[in-house]
Amino acid sequence: MSRDIPAALLNALSGSEIEPFYAVEFMFDPRTTTDVNGNAFTVGPFRLWTGLGERIIEVQGADQTFTGAGALLGIGGVDEVTDLSAKTLSITLSGIYSDILSIALQEPYQRRQFRLYFGEKGVGDVVQVFTGKMNKMTIQDSGETSDIQMSVESNLLELERSSGWRYTDENHQSRYSGDTFFSYVQTIQDQQVAWGRDSG
């Protein structure tokens, strides 16, 4: 699928030596929760990149701080396609301690937005290469530490799902309160209509 690549990033990728990286955004809802010791802390968007240390990256029109995860962050299923086929991505975070794992278990992650970016260390520009919604979390426990794998569905999968809307007044009122468009649907279900003959 074609996409616009910033000129600075394109020039950097054309060099003889490059240092590419990925950056990910888990768009969790901002909220306050507690850890296993009862200490309160704020949960919000979770941003990581495949380098070390913190890196400021401009995404979605604003500078954001991404925390370096290095080799602990694994990304699988990044395939470029030329059609509109829906893809699924897998993100793995290794070496997670049990106290952090308990936080992950209580986080309402399903259907939250996810974004994947590609960049080069020599420039500040990145390009978004994938966007989707978090779907399923799998945890592999190995004693003191664990691995967390998150599967992310492409937004294109929404085209394959039914909307769940019904042609009923109740369903229509839940979306457009006061609109009477479907108010007579039930009364006409078994209505006999005389068409081209005597109604008597």
Side-chain angles (χ1 to χ4, degrees):
M1 184 180 297
S2 63
R3 57 178 57 88
D4 294 330
I5 302 177
L9 177 59
L10 195 58
N11 290 335
L13 295 176
S14 302
S16 57
E17 295 184 9
I18 62 172
E19 295 183 88
F21 68 87
Y22 284 109
V24 296
E25 277 190 309
F26 298 89
M27 302 306 292
F28 297 124
D29 293 338
R31 63 188 182 88
T32 300
T33 186
T34 56
D35 59 17
V36 293
N37 298 318
N39 300 318
F41 66 97
T42 301
V43 175
F46 187 47
R47 298 179 174 94
L48 300 172
W49 73 296
T50 54
L52 300 176
E54 292 188 344
R55 184 179 182 90
I56 304 296
I57 303 175
E58 182 181 345
V59 292
Q60 308 298 314
D63 288 342
Q64 303 291 352
T65 302
F66 287 72
T67 302
L72 299 179
L73 178 63
I75 303 171
V78 186
D79 299 322
E80 188 69 46
V81 293
T82 58
D83 56 10
L84 291 177
S85 59
K87 307 296 290 184
T88 300
L89 204 65
S90 65
I91 309 297
T92 304
L93 194 56
S94 306
I96 304 300
Y97 288 104
S98 57
D99 55 344
I100 300 178
L101 183 62
S102 65
I103 298 171
L105 289 173
Q106 60 180 307
E107 180 63 35
Y109 62 89
Q110 286 189 318
R111 311 287 297 159
R112 300 302 189 273
Q113 191 72 23
F114 170 88
R115 302 185 188 102
L116 173 67
Y117 303 94
F118 176 78
E120 204 278 335
K121 290 183 180 179
V123 297
D125 293 325
V126 296
V127 59
Q128 181 176 300
V129 294
F130 186 90
T131 181
K133 292 183 173 63
M134 292 176 258
N135 180 39
K136 181 181 179 183
M137 181 189 298
T138 304
I139 298 174
Q140 296 180 345
D141 196 355
S142 59
E144 293 185 0
T145 62
S146 303
D147 295 344
I148 299 177
Q149 184 180 66
M150 179 74 75
S151 65
V152 182
E153 293 183 341
S154 169
N155 285 334
L156 291 175
L157 283 176
E158 296 294 327
L159 299 176
E160 300 176 3
R161 293 192 177 100
S162 63
S163 65
W165 294 352
R166 300 291 182 264
Y167 296 118
T168 63
D169 187 52
E170 291 80 10
N171 190 274
H172 190 68
Q173 290 294 327
S174 68
R175 290 175 284 127
Y176 305 102
S177 179
D179 192 336
T180 60
F181 186 83
F182 287 105
S183 59
Y184 297 105
V185 168
Q186 287 185 335
T187 61
I188 64 173
Q189 292 298 312
D190 301 316
Q191 186 73 35
Q192 295 293 325
V193 178
W195 185 261
R197 59 184 172 84
D198 187 1
S199 60

